[in-house]
Amino acid sequence: MEINPYEVAKKQLKNVVELMNLDPDIHEKLKYMERILTVSIPIRMDDGSLRIFQGHRIQHSTVRGPGKGGIRYDFNVNVDEIKALAMWMTWKTSLLNLPLGGAKGGVEVDPKKLTFGELERLTRRYTVEILHIIGPNKDIPAPDMNTNAQTMAWIMDVYSMHKGETTPGVVTGKPVEIGGSLGRNRATGMGLFYIIQALVKKLDLNLQNMTAVVQGFGKVGIVIAEELYNIGCKVIGISDSTGGIFSENGLNVKEIIELKINQKPIKDYKKNSVKFLSNPEILTLKCDILIPAARENQITGENAENIDCKIILEGANGPTTPEADEILNRKNIVVVPDILANAGGVLVSYFEYIQDINAYFWDLERINKELKNVLLKAYEEVYHLSKERHVSLRVAAYIIAVSRVAEAIRLRGLYP
Ligand code: NAD
């Protein structure tokens, strides 16, 4: 059965409403998006034919500041998926106490089937269609699945051409040469790494004696796998959309990154000691740390019983459903929730945004130091609340994040 991510997001919110004594009016307001924009994107393909794609930009909440959230290109994109992702962004920016809200965008397209030129035209036309609702003070997109610094450069260019002034602050995750931030491309993975280091210390474990499995080997999965490998943790399983590989002695992560740089799928990695596995099999491998870093709804009521790890570190947004959460809790598996675990990305996006506004750029040392400080502060807050209230890390993170948004709504009141 297809799981609807928006229903999941609403259920996660509902799960903390009673614990927080949340005003029912505010709960009702938070279930809804502030703005949903769906656009048609007509593109002249390289072969001369015309194709129309559907794109969306959705703002869940701008009560604490401009909307913030990535843009994804994927054949699975739909309004309910983007609504969920926008709501999760509201909680993520709030958990870090950033003066930002939550938004998300997406285009229903299989980008692997488009040429570079077609992708550029798609991005430019999509940008024009959503231009009136984005901007440095309104809503600031960033990369997500299948989008990257080049995509952001095109968006920034279109926006700047229409405004008649170069406006780097309209997107984050741009190339450094046009106002991007050092460290942004590795920020999400580095954030995951800082948090797992802090958590294993608390659990009295040592990464050097531990094993990890990484599902999804893109911008997020590559960095966390590489950092774990460099520190001596055994990465025994890795997958991408084509399937996964497993070696009980640990995979050579550097070689697999090389393969990806050459645009080859994981299944092309051939070694005697390495076994090829399907994506569902990768998730149920026995390991210490399981890192879903691909997409939503990967750990569900169907497979949670078979998950065999100590810690789940959510690199992806929404990889675990509420049904799975209950089972994992019962099995005493520690789940570091997405809105905390992968928040390093939006945090360095925020650093990029303030560097752009101030036209003053920081060095990498400062970026990584501030990333670590802010993220670990949020982590400590979540950890302590979870101990104090005897709740999971997800519930604790939601209590903190939702409280701040609720208070902002209360203070601002209802317009008119
Ligand atoms: P990406 O496009 O760079 O990489 C996605 C990877 O997942 C690819 O290797 C793809 O082959 C793989 N994949 C897709 N479907 C899969 C499946 N069913 N099983 C296994 N692998 C699969 O995307 P990304 O930016 O790394 O984003 C991955 C996840 O992390 C998404 O949920 C995204 O929302 C989340 N996230 C990304 C960032 C960021 O800064 N990029 C920040 C926070 C959260």
Side-chain angles (χ1 to χ4, degrees):
M1 196 187 61
E2 196 73 6
I3 301 166
N4 181 325
Y6 179 47
E7 295 303 322
V8 168
K10 283 192 293 187
K11 176 81 172 39
Q12 288 166 332
L13 174 62
K14 187 162 175 269
N15 282 347
V16 293
V17 164
E18 264 177 39
L19 283 171
M20 295 173 56
N21 251 332
L22 186 69
D23 176 341
D25 284 354
I26 291 184
H27 179 206
E28 191 61 16
K29 185 164 193 307
L30 287 173
K31 285 190 218 161
Y32 290 86
M33 304 293 120
E34 279 179 12
R35 184 176 286 113
I36 300 176
L37 176 63
T38 293
V39 297
S40 300
I41 312 164
I43 298 300
R44 187 67 63 195
M45 306 301 280
D46 286 358
D47 66 5
S49 65
L50 179 77
R51 276 187 68 189
I52 319 278
F53 297 91
Q54 294 287 298
H56 315 280
R57 183 72 192 173
I58 296 181
Q59 292 153 358
H60 171 250
S61 172
T62 54
V63 70
R64 302 180 78 253
K68 186 87 195 83
I71 290 175
R72 89 169 33 171
Y73 290 173
D74 192 65
F75 49 87
N76 271 325
V77 160
N78 59 66
V79 171
D80 276 0
E81 179 189 50
I82 304 295
K83 280 160 79 170
L85 289 161
M87 192 189 282
W88 291 327
M89 286 308 299
T90 303
W91 311 143
K92 205 184 291 185
T93 54
S94 171
L95 183 63
L96 295 183
N97 217 353
L98 303 178
L100 296 168
K104 203 84 181 190
V107 178
E108 300 172 27
V109 57
D110 184 350
K112 290 195 187 107
K113 298 203 173 124
L114 265 57
T115 64
F116 189 78
E118 289 164 345
L119 274 175
E120 176 173 358
R121 294 198 287 283
L122 177 89
T123 304
R124 288 185 181 278
R125 183 61 188 254
Y126 169 64
T127 307
V128 170
E129 299 297 341
I130 64 166
L131 198 85
H132 56 294
I133 66 161
I134 61 168
N137 295 316
K138 287 185 182 174
D139 179 3
I140 308 139
D144 192 73
M145 277 176 73
N146 298 319
T147 55
N148 54 29
Q150 178 62 75
T151 324
M152 297 305 116
W154 290 326
I155 297 176
M156 181 270 219
D157 184 62
V158 171
Y159 187 88
S160 300
M161 288 296 134
H162 278 254
K163 295 285 165 188
E165 55 192 42
T166 295
T167 316
V170 64
V171 283
T172 58
K174 299 176 291 295
V176 173
E177 293 79 357
I178 51 170
S181 176
L182 294 171
R184 173 61 185 91
N185 53 355
R186 292 184 72 80
T188 309
M190 289 310 296
L192 288 168
F193 184 59
Y194 294 143
I195 286 185
I196 193 69
Q197 279 182 311
L199 178 65
V200 296
K201 211 164 156 195
K202 278 217 160 70
L203 299 176
D204 220 3
L205 298 167
N206 183 345
L207 281 173
Q208 267 112 16
N209 310 325
M210 295 172 84
T211 56
V213 169
V214 181
Q215 183 210 30
F217 207 56
K219 294 185 289 299
V220 178
I222 286 178
V223 176
I224 181 63
E226 188 178 24
E227 292 297 327
L228 289 173
Y229 176 79
N230 285 344
I231 207 177
C233 172
K234 245 192 242 170
V235 181
I236 58 167
I238 290 181
S239 69
D240 67 10
S241 56
T242 65
I245 47 177
F246 163 69
S247 165
E248 63 181 336
N249 299 322
L251 295 159
N252 184 331
V253 174
K254 298 260 187 236
E255 282 181 10
I256 305 162
I257 293 176
E258 209 47 48
L259 188 89
K260 276 279 161 185
I261 291 172
N262 294 322
Q263 317 238 316
K264 299 232 173 72
I266 293 278
K267 67 176 166 48
D268 282 9
Y269 186 75
K270 303 233 159 65
K271 280 269 151 85
N272 282 342
S273 54
V274 169
K275 229 170 110 182
F276 189 73
L277 296 179
S278 71
N279 255 312
E281 286 170 328
I282 279 284
L283 286 174
T284 53
L285 280 173
K286 182 178 171 56
C287 63
D288 295 310
I289 311 164
L290 175 63
I291 307 170
R295 51 174 74 236
E296 304 91 68
N297 298 335
Q298 298 303 300
I299 304 170
T300 67
E302 302 269 296
N303 64 358
E305 213 53 82
N306 301 327
I307 300 284
D308 194 357
C309 64
K310 294 192 178 84
I311 301 168
I312 295 178
L313 185 64
E314 294 188 335
N317 288 309
T320 312
T321 67
E323 293 70 33
D325 256 342
E326 273 181 36
I327 299 168
L328 299 169
N329 269 338
R330 185 163 34 76
K331 290 175 62 149
N332 280 328
I333 295 176
V334 180
V335 181
V336 189
D338 46 8
I339 60 167
L340 172 66
N342 70 35
V346 75
L347 181 54
V348 176
S349 270
Y350 170 66
F351 296 158
E352 178 173 334
Y353 169 69
I354 56 180
Q355 289 173 82
D356 287 337
I357 289 173
N358 291 303
Y360 179 78
F361 290 86
W362 309 352
D363 60 23
L364 186 59
E365 198 185 336
R366 177 168 175 196
I367 304 273
N368 282 332
K369 194 169 143 223
E370 300 221 15
L371 162 63
K372 195 170 179 177
N373 282 349
V374 178
L375 203 56
L376 290 187
K377 186 166 169 274
Y379 162 77
E380 287 297 335
E381 248 181 290
V382 170
Y383 191 86
H384 282 117
L385 189 70
S386 91
K387 290 285 163 230
E388 193 182 300
R389 305 270 315 249
H390 307 288
V391 292
S392 68
L393 293 176
R394 188 178 325 274
V395 167
Y398 265 66
I399 292 176
I400 297 168
V402 175
S403 301
R404 289 195 184 123
V405 180
E407 184 59 4
I409 292 175
R410 192 189 66 78
L411 286 166
R412 285 182 62 163
L414 199 59
Y415 178 88

